[in-house]
Every structure is written in C-alpha cells, then in structure tokens.
Amino acid sequence: MAHFKRSLGIGLWFMFLTLPLMVVRVNTISREVEWRWYNLAWAGLCAFVIAWFWQFSIERRTARRAQVAANPHPAVEKLSLVQRLADDPVLSRRLLAVAAVVAIIFPWLVSTGQNFYHVNVMVSALIFVVLGLGLNITVGLAGLLDLGYIAFFAVGAYTYALLSKNFDLGFWTCLPLGGLMSMLFGVILGFPILRLRGDYLAIVTLGFASITKIVLENWDTLFGGAAGIANIPRPEFFGMALDSRQKSVYTYYIVLALVAVTIFVTNRLKNSRAGRAWMALREDEIASVAMGVDMARTKLSAYALGAFWAGLVGVVFAAHNNFINPDSFTFMDSAMILAMVVLGGMGSILGVIIAALALKLLPEYLRAFAEYRMLVFGAVMVLMMIFRPQGLINNMRRKYEYDTAQGGKDNGGN
Amino acid sequence: MAATKGEKLLEVSGLSMDFGGLRAIDNIGFELFAGEIVALIGPNGAGKTTVFNCITGIYEPTMGDVTIHPPGGTCRRINGMKPNSITSLGMARTFQNIRLFPAMTVLENVMIGRHCRTGSTIIDAILSSRRSRREEKETVDKSYRLLQKVGLADVADEFSRNLSYGAQRRLEIARALATDPFLLLLDEPAAGMNPQETHELDELIVRIRAEEQVAILLIEHDMKLVMNISDRIYVMEYGKEIAQGTPREIKENPKVIEAYLGEEVHA
Ligand SMILES: Nc1ncnc2c1ncn2[C@@H]1O[C@H](COP(=O)(O)OP(=O)(O)OP(=O)(O)O)[C@@H](O)[C@H]1O
Ligand SMILES: [Mg+2]
C-alpha cells in the first residue's frame, strides 16, 4: 500500500513536470495551441509503473541482503545458471563447440556476393572483444584501474602503420612486433606508476593516454598528425591477391583466432601461480606481500601482458581499416573497454565477451536509436551498479582436484 | 628447515618506531628460540601490532635492529627489507584485522602462501609446462593438507568471505603456514572467538608447533590462552617493554598487574 501511494505521488509529480513539454504544443501554422492531454496520461502511467517496479526491486534486493546478513555462513551459495552450466562439463563443452562452429561459419552465413557489411561489423566487434579480454587481465584480474588502455592499442596500430610504410614490413612480422612494442610501453610506464593505487593510478593512465593522443596529433612528420596514416596494407595471404570481400573474411578469421588465443591464455593464467597472485593483489595488497608475493613484479607483469594484447589487436585494427588517425583512440574508447570489463563482471571471460559484443553490436544495428545511445548506456550502467554490481556473470573460481585421503577426516572434495 | 631446540631464531634490539611525533614503540628488545611459543602482551595501543609490522617489513623501523637466524642459513639483519623477501626468508604472520582474499576460495587463499616457494612463470602457465603442472599439484596437495590440519578441509571450495570469524582466523594460520616458515607470528588469533573456539585454537597452536616445527610469536588479549601455552611472555605498555618472564613470573609481577589494573591477569 505504501508502494502504491508513493508510486501514485511519483506519477503525479511526473505529470506535472512533463506538462509543458508533452502536453502544450503551439501549432505555428494555424497559430493555435494544442493540448495533448493523452500524453499526460501516458507520462503519468509510465512513471507510475516504473516507480512501482523500482520500489519492488529495491525491496527485494534489501530482503535478500538481510537474508544473507542473517545467515553469514550459508551451506551453499545460490548458483547462477552459468555457474551450473560450467559445472556440467559435457553440456558446457557442447555449448562451446556450437559457439565455435557458429563463429567459424559466420562469414558464410551473413555475406553474399559482394555484401560483406556484417563481416566488417563483426571484425570491429571482435577487435573490441580482444581489447576487453586484455583489459580484463589488468583490471579484472589484477585490479589495476587503467583508464588509458586505448593508448596501447594506438601503439600497436601505429607500430604496424609506420613499419609497413617505412620499412615495408609485412603484417605477420608486425603482429608480434606491435604486441611487444606495446608491452615495452607498458613496462616503461608501469615501473614508476605501479606503486600508486586506485584513483591515482587511474589518473596517471588517463594522462598517459591523453599524452599519447596529443603526440600522435602533433608530430606530423612521423605520425602524420591529425590526418593520420593511409594506405596501410591489409594482411597478406601467402602472396595471393584477394578481393575485398575475401580480405574481410580473412581478417575475420585472424581476429577470431586472436580471440581464441586470448581466451585460452586468460583461462590458463586465471588458475595459475601468476593469476592467483594477481587476484590476491587485487583483493588485498598488504596481505599479498606479507604472504610473499612480489608486488612490483606481479603488477608489472599484469600491466605488460594487458598492453601486449592491445598492441597485437592494434596491428589488426590498422590492417583492417587501411587507415588510422588519432581519432580512433579517444578516451571514449578507453571508457567503452572499461565498461565492457565492468559490465561483464570483473575477471569473468564469458561476461566480458558478452558485454563487448553487446556494446559494439547493438549500437551498430540499432542505428535508429543512435541519438539515445549514450542515454541508454548511462541508464544501463546505473542500473547495473545498483542491482548487479558484480557484473553480468560472476567470476567463477575453479574447484581444484585434491586427494582427500591424506589426513583422514573430510568429505568436501569432488 | 627443522631447527634444533634452543637455537636462536630472532633477535630484536633497540627497536623504535615513530609516527610523526608519536613514538609508538620505544627501544624494544627481545629474542626467540627454536621450539618456543612466546607471547607479546599489553593493553590496547601498547604497540604490539607495530612491533609485528616492523619485524615483517610492513613498516621500516626508525631505529634498532631485527636480526634473524634461519635454521641452517646465515644470520641476516632484515630492517628495511620488503615484506615478501622477509616472508621467503621464513617468517609468516597473520593479521589482527583479518586480511583474507574474500573473492578467492579457501583453498586458493592457502595456495597464495605457496607463491614464494614455487617459481612457475607466466610462460610456464600458458604452455602448461611440466614444471607448472608439478608445482600446481604440489601446491594443491600441500594447501589441502594444511586445511585439514586447521579443520577447514570440508569448506575448501567455499569463498573465504563466507566463513565464520573463527574459521577465517584459522584460515589465516593455514595460509601463513603454507609459506614454510620457521617462525609464525600470530596477531590476536583468538579475537572474536567464543570460548569453545578459543580452546580449540589453544590446542591447534600447540599442535602446529610440534608438527610443523615452527616457533611462534603471539599477540593475544585472552590471558587464559596466553598463560596456557606460552613459554615466555614479554609485556609492553605505551610502547615500552615493562616486563618479561615465564607465565608465572608475569602473573606475579606488580608492574604488569598495575598495567592491567589487576584484573585480567588472574583469569
Ligand atoms: N600507521 C600508523 N600511523 C600512526 N600511528 C599509528 C600507526 N599504527 C599504529 N599507530 C599508533 O601506534 C600505537 C600502537 O598501536 P598498535 O596497533 O601497535 O597497538 P596494539 O598494541 O597492537 O593495540 P591493540 O591491542 O589494540 O591491537 C597506537 O597509539 C596507534 O595509534
Ligand atoms: Mg594490535
């Protein structure tokens, strides 16, 4: 009943607020004032329903919190659907196989003749998947808030552009070089700043990204200034000539392979000595160093490895676009990649992939709503932070196999 | 790492620590021998935790020397060393305000303790090299065995944030033991435990000393526990050392009784 009253109040309040905007319209031709009262009813009704739903959700969440607080030691935490899927090896393997097959035949499904628009869209999206997964190592696993991740992407892209332009080096030579170059930048930058924490680190990385962009924009002789660098060669395929559709499909498979490798590596690292040390540092720095984790080295490795992926995929980006300029490497892109990691769920591979695809593909296909994009984006962010702060998918922890026999008393193993 | 009984492990002399104008600890000196359980007691704010922080490298002491004599190793002065280096030399600690890794499982928390005793690199992990696989297995086995020892084996796969207070404190002990220390520093391990849990902890500490061959330096407010298990006790007040001796001597020391207003010591 209290909900009803409050929702009613909110509904009325919105009717009042939106009155001048939604109801009154001056028809300039017939010089009449139109009164669109039905709009008022809509505004009131919508506000009422949303307010009701909102209160209902908040209440449910509070109830759940209280329940958790009352029972601090639950026998089992409630498992999410994904967690249950992951615990079922047969099913998850099948799903993975299906996803892989769909990904592989995708270009043949959506491209006919010379129409390969969807393939190109997918290449851009997958590039961001790799970026998301790379940043996931730095932010999600190691907890180093990096607001300038796009700078490493730029380093990779410009490495390829310059090497191919000035030294005629091919794509496949430049791919590792771009990655290593970014990594080098990561290490050089990381040494002095990784002692900083949280906000301070975020600000310095933000500054680094801005500096990178300014240098790229103003050093015309080397980087081509704001105009950028054009005519970057596409990936070569054993010296064969490909038409533009084939080139796109070929690039698609290259990025897809990169995605697969990134997933594989992240997955291996997550449950390794290094990955656990990253997570420990994320959880509690003092406890980690007191347990023997070398903070400087561990942080640096996470930072450099994240930069490596950005550089790698930066090379692909330059090759795919034929053309790069500093406008592709703005703060908005850094923020977008960070949003992928946060929305997907820090440290969760699947979550980051889903979030990256959603954030890149939805705006592309919902062009009709392009004007509302940032609005929706902001609303989604706020709602997520309130109702699902841990992200779409919880970071799942592996259950290790252990020999329960040794000490006798136990039954907890698998 | 087994040390012969009576061998000196740790020597602290003239240790002082200033925070701005506040001298939190003032000219503290003590030593610790193999096989001992030594307690450090004193009223709130006496500077006990600060002593731990100075010994384990969290703070760099303003003055004084901390010297360790690892069994079978050479003696070293460790002031100013990084905490992780000190841990790999063989000293491990727990925290008064529990510092676990909440989003990691109980088993993984202990596995972090093995970090400084293993060496697989990122490349090893990616390629799943033989070294990495062997170390992973050893790490899991050893960690699980420690969980069994502290009675947490059946919650090995739970997130550590879901454990009860007492269980979290025991988990901290297991994690510290995973670093293969010769000296274990426990900062108020019984804080927040009920009498039953405290009693079990009492047995656990004694058992750990015997089975893991570690010496133990203990900060604790629960006098019953301290008097039960310590071989020797140092008492601090306002950063200064005011007494030392066996539990019996401490109980009868007038200065100590005064510091504690004569109440708890007789518990
Ligand atoms: N990082 C710090 N900065 C400033 N002052 C500090 C710091 N750490 C400790 N102190 C001060 O040093 C004194 C000793 O604190 P410490 O935590 O060592 O006491 P304690 O004996 O462990 O007390 P308790 O029994 O409450 O744990 C206190 O006055 C405290 O305020
Ligand atoms: Mg203390």
Side-chain angles (χ1 to χ4, degrees):
Chain A
M1 203 55 214
H3 283 185
F4 181 78
K5 268 192 206 151
R6 277 193 72 175
S7 308
L8 205 64
I10 291 171
L12 286 173
W13 177 237
F14 263 80
M15 283 161 83
F16 173 71
L17 278 182
T18 53
L19 186 82
L21 266 174
M22 307 278 286
V23 177
V24 190
R25 183 164 73 179
V26 181
N27 189 328
T28 41
I29 300 168
S30 60
R31 290 168 167 267
E32 273 171 7
V33 176
E34 290 175 33
W35 297 87
R36 298 170 296 168
W37 292 112
Y38 56 94
N39 269 352
L40 193 66
W42 273 118
L45 191 67
C46 288
F48 177 76
V49 170
I50 290 174
W52 188 307
F53 182 72
W54 179 265
Q55 292 179 38
F56 173 73
S57 314
I58 293 278
E59 190 180 20
R60 235 188 58 181
R61 192 188 59 145
T62 322
R64 202 158 357 131
R65 289 243 172 106
Q67 193 188 342
V68 172
N71 179 12
H73 186 30
V76 274
E77 246 179 303
K78 218 177 120 219
L79 295 177
S80 64
L81 182 68
V82 187
Q83 174 86 64
R84 263 176 286 158
L85 276 183
D87 281 347
D88 183 342
V90 184
L91 196 59
S92 58
R93 207 161 295 161
R94 274 190 203 150
L95 281 176
L96 200 65
V98 170
V101 169
V102 169
I104 288 170
I105 61 173
F106 176 80
W108 314 103
L109 290 179
V110 298
S111 75
T112 47
Q114 280 310 305
N115 175 10
F116 49 93
Y117 165 72
H118 298 291
V119 180
N120 276 341
V121 169
M122 205 51 166
V123 170
S124 311
L126 288 183
I127 283 176
F128 271 79
V129 170
V130 178
L131 283 174
L133 288 172
L135 188 63
N136 185 39
I137 296 178
T138 315
V139 179
L141 292 182
L144 303 169
L145 187 51
D146 185 348
L147 288 183
Y149 191 61
I150 204 73
F152 298 120
F153 186 53
V155 169
Y158 272 88
T159 303
Y160 176 50
L162 291 177
L163 286 180
S164 70
K165 193 174 121 196
N166 297 326
F167 301 100
D168 233 7
L169 291 183
F171 173 80
W172 290 106
T173 328
C174 289
L175 189 63
L177 287 181
L180 291 177
M181 196 64 170
S182 283
M183 202 164 171
L184 187 68
F185 267 77
V187 171
I188 293 173
L189 180 74
F191 256 119
I193 68 166
L194 286 179
R195 255 172 307 161
L196 305 174
R197 283 176 212 204
D199 318 352
Y200 299 101
L201 182 68
I203 288 170
V204 176
T205 51
L206 185 65
F208 169 64
S210 314
I211 292 170
T212 310
K213 188 159 180 275
I214 290 171
V215 169
L216 291 177
E217 272 168 357
N218 292 296
W219 194 341
D220 304 27
T221 44
L222 186 59
F223 299 117
I229 300 176
N231 293 327
I232 303 169
R234 290 258 180 161
E236 72 266 27
F237 186 63
F238 303 113
M240 266 193 264
L242 302 176
D243 64 26
S244 41
R245 172 173 171 270
Q246 284 167 329
K247 277 181 189 161
S248 280
V249 173
Y250 181 44
T251 318
Y252 172 83
Y253 283 122
I254 293 174
V255 204
L256 191 64
L258 265 185
V259 171
V261 172
T262 320
I263 295 174
F264 175 79
V265 168
T266 314
N267 212 15
R268 278 268 165 93
L269 285 176
K270 251 176 102 166
N271 300 304
S272 73
R273 173 176 179 268
R276 283 190 301 267
W278 290 339
M279 278 184 271
L281 273 180
R282 177 190 72 192
E283 300 288 304
D284 191 324
E285 273 182 16
I286 291 185
S288 317
V289 294
M291 289 305 124
V293 175
D294 186 335
M295 184 162 82
R297 263 173 69 172
T298 310
K299 278 189 175 178
L300 203 60
S301 65
Y303 202 64
L305 201 69
F308 177 76
W309 292 116
L312 217 57
V313 82
V315 173
V316 179
F317 175 77
H320 176 63
N321 276 18
N322 287 124
F323 159 75
I324 50 171
N325 73 358
D327 283 341
S328 311
F329 311 106
T330 60
F331 171 68
M332 270 315 298
D333 297 283
S334 281
M336 191 66 116
I337 305 170
L338 189 63
M340 291 168 185
V341 178
V342 175
L343 287 182
M346 301 270 253
S348 153
I349 297 176
L350 183 62
V352 172
I353 295 176
I354 294 175
L357 287 178
L359 286 185
K360 279 320 266 189
L361 292 181
L362 290 182
E364 193 65 39
Y365 288 114
L366 299 178
R367 290 225 176 247
F369 303 98
E371 298 148 59
Y372 305 107
R373 204 174 110 193
M374 283 334 251
L375 192 70
V376 172
F377 189 58
V380 168
M381 275 296 211
V382 171
L383 288 177
M384 284 289 287
M385 287 306 111
I386 293 178
F387 291 106
R388 238 188 126 66
Q390 73 275 42
L392 280 176
I393 292 176
N394 279 354
N395 182 15
M396 286 172 279
R397 291 312 305 152
R398 168 166 163 216
K399 295 192 170 59
Y400 291 85
E401 304 264 322
Y402 35 74
D403 185 3
T404 51
Q406 281 175 11
K409 71 159 216 188
D410 172 63
N411 52 2
N414 6 1
Chain B
M1 278 253 188
T4 35
K5 223 175 174 85
E7 201 182 319
K8 190 190 281 181
L9 295 179
L10 172 72
E11 186 173 358
V12 175
S13 63
L15 193 72
S16 300
M17 178 82 213
D18 296 346
F19 294 109
L22 173 80
R23 174 147 289 198
I25 52 176
D26 187 9
N27 197 17
I28 296 287
F30 62 90
E31 46 195 19
L32 205 143
F33 298 90
E36 269 191 321
I37 296 180
V38 173
L40 191 58
I41 63 172
N44 290 108
K48 309 176 294 292
T49 301
T50 308
V51 169
F52 265 30
N53 286 338
C54 289
I55 300 178
T56 54
I58 308 276
Y59 298 153
E60 185 174 352
T62 319
M63 265 188 283
D65 294 304
V66 183
T67 319
I68 58 165
H69 308 255
T74 50
C75 107
R76 295 184 68 158
R77 183 171 177 270
I78 58 169
N79 311 39
M81 279 175 74
K82 283 202 264 171
N84 54 303
S85 317
I86 293 177
T87 306
S88 30
L89 285 175
M91 295 212 294
R93 68 173 292 179
T94 65
F95 293 90
Q96 176 175 359
N97 45 340
I98 302 174
R99 283 179 171 270
L100 288 167
F101 309 119
M104 298 170 77
T105 66
V106 169
L107 187 70
E108 282 175 321
N109 266 272
V110 184
M111 289 168 82
I112 286 293
R114 298 300 298 159
H115 186 87
C116 57
R117 300 291 170 225
T118 46
S120 307
T121 61
I122 291 179
I123 306 287
D124 281 320
I126 294 173
L127 302 177
S128 188
S129 70
R130 185 177 304 156
R131 178 192 195 189
S132 149
R133 270 175 291 152
R134 175 175 49 80
E135 283 187 354
E136 279 294 289
K137 181 160 179 359
E138 281 171 11
T139 301
V140 172
D141 288 348
K142 165 117 201 198
S143 306
Y144 190 72
R145 198 179 58 72
L146 285 169
L147 283 181
Q148 288 178 320
K149 181 157 294 186
V150 301
L152 292 172
D154 50 345
V155 287
D157 293 327
E158 289 271 349
F159 283 113
S160 64
R161 58 168 179 253
N162 292 344
L163 296 188
S164 70
Y165 222 59
Q168 293 197 6
R169 291 215 179 270
R170 277 179 289 145
L171 177 54
E172 276 216 337
I173 296 178
R175 185 179 67 175
L177 283 176
T179 64
D180 285 342
F182 64 82
L183 174 58
L184 185 63
L185 302 115
L186 304 175
D187 197 345
E188 302 199 16
M193 285 188 174
N194 62 35
Q196 173 63 23
E197 285 175 319
T198 310
H199 180 65
E200 285 167 12
L201 181 75
D202 180 328
E203 287 170 359
L204 178 68
I205 294 176
V206 173
R207 192 153 49 88
I208 284 172
R209 161 171 67 173
E211 291 177 5
E212 301 286 318
Q213 277 142 3
V214 290
I216 290 167
L217 181 59
L218 172 79
I219 297 178
E220 187 47 67
H221 282 298
D222 187 313
M223 283 307 138
K224 192 154 158 268
L225 179 77
V226 170
M227 296 299 166
N228 259 346
I229 64 174
S230 330
D231 298 314
R232 290 186 298 121
I233 297 174
Y234 290 90
V235 189
M236 289 177 70
E237 191 187 17
Y238 298 120
K240 293 195 175 63
E241 199 175 299
I242 58 167
Q244 60 163 303
T246 61
R248 177 178 308 211
E249 287 164 4
I250 293 298
K251 262 187 217 174
E252 282 151 15
N253 187 319
K255 271 189 178 165
V256 179
I257 295 172
E258 194 191 340
Y260 276 92
L261 297 169
E263 35 180 25
E264 291 171 73
V265 187
H266 297 293

